[in-house]
């Protein structure tokens, strides 16, 4: 731990204002960034923790078009929701700005102009994808196609989210317009490019060679792989009407590429904060002793490790990031989180459904943080971690300490007698924790750090369970004073060390232990400072009055979890229903065509799954005419034993054909319900929607 105050600029990825915040964003970026910022402040550092809404993305204009409103309406709505939910969740930004703010438009324009004036861009007329029907160029998310690197068929014009590769729209194979679905044509247009290739060697020295050991291996590895592929010039302007106008001659009708403007948002946000706080913003971005740290998710690595640093370097006035601790992704109940598919736990909904339980979600997301690999959030794990860890360990220890101190001593910290060996060991362990937890936080290992915090709670729990003051009080009242004194010191250590992780519980515990009163008695000594736990003789001196016990955490019931699981089930069905796109009506069939088909009712009399196939079932059907074999692709939807005896509709005169060596004489008519399950034709069954076809 360093005791010299240090200046830090901490940025958290700017959220897109095309949807609210969900647990994936929190686990990947905002919770770890907040733990880090809170910890650094407690160490007496000078911290600017900034963020803001990213409001210029193409998804925003697409959403506005779909909903028939203006892009400004969309960003105003989500900026409001996001801002409020961050505040209620206790993310301790020093400033939260937005990229539609004037300060940002001015800052980004000036940044571009300086680079333009210094000749840092290449100007080029190239052919870009153009949607004739929509009458507009297709950049970034306006175009979807196959990724040339990994084959993902839903890659965007600026990036493949599957492999993380940064792309130009013209790189896509089989591009399609996201507006009309049409195949675009090529049309000439003039743009400014950032020649990333000219910075290849510099990046290689700075990151690949220079940060091989202190940057996370997932980040370092990705950068290395892009550099191996070779960097190419990248357009930083677009033919769009939503964004920051290109502020130079020839830029009419064009805007800055959103990934050029967005990271400059960190600088604008710092400016906005400094102005309000009467500070100078420049040292936070220009003093080489300032440590700049970007917290992001893995999909943003290319922008924060290649494009933004090249911009900062090319501009020339700015410092470079000290570290970019990007996280992997969090999944929900085994499936990828998705804003568009509503597969998420939304922060603003959580805050309503679990009032005053911000710390539980913070705790679970940190305990399960996708620091080195993708991880899964499940409601079962959420409940277990709350009930078995926060309630049963941390909460139980604190409750015992508070209740017993009030019961035996009317809430006055007792004067200890001589320490036993166990007492001395326990106090020594307590004093070691600040350094242990700090060391993990400083390495961006937040789940390890929080694990150590819980180990301190375990230490307290075990100490009380071993010493059993509630039994001793009958035989050795003097010994109980010492035991309770030691336990109170641990409770006090927990109150301070939990602040970065569990800020709401920490504050509540500090109030219960009446910290403010200790602080005034110790005149001049900062009480809640991290290091003092290791150095001060007593954290909670004898004679100090604490307050009444209150519960820090409460049990989460099965019924609450079931509600959440039901909500996810409903989302699943809704998605299945909307993905069942209706097939267009086929060509006209004449009455003669119809009478050619011999459709009859039959009864299934035998069935077995065809060996070595996934889908095929061999079914014997009594059609009245005869008993015949039909091979049907329903094995993933029905078990053989459950269909025997069922009446089904059969197309009896379909030309026989061999499937995997078995001759199939006819077809059983099937349809699909809204959950995507193939079912025998029965229009009255739940989930069979109008328009569903029979096959
Ligand atoms: Zn890809």
């Amino acid at each position: 731990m360093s005791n010299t105050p240090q200046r830090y600029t901490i940025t958290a990825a700017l959220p897109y204002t095309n949807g609210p915040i969900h647990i994936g964003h929190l686990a990947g970026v905002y919770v770890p960034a907040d733990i880090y910022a809170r910890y650094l402040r407690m160490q007496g550092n000078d911290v600017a923790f900034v963020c803001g809404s990213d409001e210029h993305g193409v998804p925003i204009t697409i959403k506005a078009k779909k909903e028939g409103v203006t892009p400004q309406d969309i960003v105003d709505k989500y900026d409001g929701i996001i801002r409020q939910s961050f505040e209620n969740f206790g993310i301790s930004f020093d400033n939260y700005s937005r990229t539609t703010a004037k300060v940002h438009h001015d800052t980004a324009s000036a940044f571009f102009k300086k680079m333009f004036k210094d000749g840092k861009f290449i100007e080029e007329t190239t052919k870009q994808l153009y949607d004739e029907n929509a009458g507009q160029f297709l950049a970034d998310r306006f175009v979807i196609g196959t990724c040339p690197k990994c084959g993902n068929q839903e890659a965007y014009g600026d990036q493949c989210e599957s492999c993380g590769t940064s792309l130009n729209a013209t790189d896509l194979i089989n591009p399609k317009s996201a507006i009309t679905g049409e195949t675009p044509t090529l049309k000439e247009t003039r743009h400014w490019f950032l020649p990333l290739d000219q910075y290849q060697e510099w990046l290689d020295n700075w990151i690949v060679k220079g940060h091989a050991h202190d940057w996370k291996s997932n980040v370092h590895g990705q950068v290395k792989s892009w550099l191996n592929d070779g960097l190419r010039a990248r357009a930083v302007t677009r033919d769009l009407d939503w964004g920051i106008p290109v502020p130079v001659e020839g830029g009419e009708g064009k805007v800055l590429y959103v990934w050029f403007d967005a990271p400059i948002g960190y600088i604008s946000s710092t400016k906005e904060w400094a102005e309000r706080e009467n500070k100078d913003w420049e040292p936070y971005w220009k003093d080489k002793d300032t440590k700049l740290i970007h917290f992001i998710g893995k999909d943003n690595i290319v922008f924060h490790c290649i494009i933004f640093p090249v911009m900062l370097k090319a501009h020339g006035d700015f410092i470079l990031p000290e570290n970019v601790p990007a996280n992997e992704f969090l999944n929900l109940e085994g499936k990828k989180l998705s804003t568009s598919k509503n597969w998420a736990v939304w922060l603003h909904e959580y805050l309503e459904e679990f009032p005053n339980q911000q710390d539980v979600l913070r705790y679970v997301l940190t305990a399960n943080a996708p620091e080195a690999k993708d991880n899964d959030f499940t409601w079962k794990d959420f409940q277990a971690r709350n009930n078995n860890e926060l309630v049963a360990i941390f909460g139980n220890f604190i409750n015992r300490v508070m209740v017993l101190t009030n019961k035996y001593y009317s809430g006055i910290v007792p004067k200890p007698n001589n320490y036993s060996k166990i007492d001395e060991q326990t106090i020594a362990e307590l004093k070691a924790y600040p350094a242990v937890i700090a060391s993990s936080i400083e390495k961006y290992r937040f789940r390890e750090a929080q694990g150590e915090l819980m180990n301190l709670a375990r230490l307290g729990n075990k100490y009380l369970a071993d010493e059993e003051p509630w039994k001793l009080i009958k035989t050795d009242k003097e010994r109980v004073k010492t035991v309770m004194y030691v336990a109170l010191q641990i409770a006090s250590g927990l109150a301070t060390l939990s602040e970065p992780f569990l800020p709401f519980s920490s504050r509540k515990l500090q109030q219960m232990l009446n910290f403010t009163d200790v602080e005034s008695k110790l005149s001049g000594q900062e009480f809640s400072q991290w290091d003092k736990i290791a150095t001060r003789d007593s954290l909670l001196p004898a004679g100090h009055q604490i307050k009444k016990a209150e519960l820090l955490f409460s049990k989460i019931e099965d019924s609450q979890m079931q509600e959440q699981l039901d909500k996810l089930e409903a989302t699943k069905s809704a998605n299945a229903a909307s993905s069942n796109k209706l097939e267009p009506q086929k060509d006209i069939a004449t009455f003669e065509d119809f009478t050619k088909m011999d459709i009859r009712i039959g009864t299934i009399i035998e069935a077995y799954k065809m060996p070595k196939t996934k889908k095929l079932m061999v079914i014997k059907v009594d059609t009245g005419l005869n008993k015949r074999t039909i091979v049907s692709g329903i094995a993933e939807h029905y078990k053989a034993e459950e269909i025997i005896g069922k009446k089904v509709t059969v197309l009896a005169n379909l030309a026989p054909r061999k499937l995997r060596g078995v001759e199939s004489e006819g077809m059983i008519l099937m349809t699909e319900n809204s959950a995507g399950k193939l079912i025998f034709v029965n229009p009255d069954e739940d989930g069979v929607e109008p328009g569903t076809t029979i096959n």
Side-chain angles (χ1 to χ4, degrees), residues 146-152 155 159-165 167:
T146 302
C147 169
K149 186 151 185 200
C150 76
N152 165 28
Q159 191 188 20
C160 169
E161 287 193 335
S162 178
C163 68
T165 299
L167 300 166

Side-chain angles (χ1 to χ4, degrees), residues 545-562:
Q545 173 80 53
I546 64 167
K547 299 192 173 162
K548 292 271 168 277
E550 278 177 66
L551 282 185
L552 275 190
F553 306 103
S554 49
K555 244 184 126 179
I556 289 174
E557 303 298 335
D558 290 346
S559 60
Q560 286 175 280
M561 296 298 89
Q562 196 51 50

